Amino acid sequence: MKKLILFGLLAASVAPVAASAQSQAEVRRSQREVREERFELEQAYRSGDPRRIRRERDDLRDAKQELREDVRDRNRAWGRDDWRAYRAGHPALYARGGWGAPFRYTAFRPGIRIAPVYYGPRYVIVDPWRYRLPPVRGYQQWVRHYDDVVLVDTRRGLVVDVYRGFWR
């Protein structure tokens, strides 16, 4: 009986990891397909054939749609959308308030380097667990940038992740 219970617990803990790895592999495959379709579209433009251009545009649009679906599935598997459901039940916690910044809004994306003024102590979210944000590692911290929440590696100034429209 102990072996059966132990096996059940082991299977329950391994299944989400396998699903997560599979969804990440699907995202990578979809990203590769989008790159290939962009290359094919460039080749079609060079050929000048309007039918081929139209066909390649459609293929690229389909590849981008598949990538969006794979990213959405991966986010669900990783639990990234947990804060949305929590926010629906706790609207006062996510109220906008009187927040402003001395700089203009910039739509950050992961991988870019930003200036330290954007992740200064005034903008740090000191209690990310309260908003159901994923835990940070090492030199990372969550900061508020207008209605977005940005995960920044403070040692290098790199944007790691962005949740757009978090405070809406």
Side-chain angles (χ1 to χ4, degrees), residues 1 41 66 84 132:
M1 186 66 175
L41 182 59
E66 185 176 335
R84 293 181 195 274
R132 300 295 198 260

Side-chain angles (χ1 to χ4, degrees), residues 82-122:
D82 288 348
W83 64 270
R84 293 181 195 274
Y86 183 75
R87 182 174 80 177
H90 301 84
L93 182 62
Y94 293 87
R96 284 186 177 197
W99 188 86
F103 41 79
R104 293 173 53 154
Y105 174 77
T106 305
F108 295 127
R109 64 182 190 284
I112 66 168
R113 188 177 306 272
I114 61 174
V117 69
Y118 290 106
Y119 53 91
R122 178 178 176 187

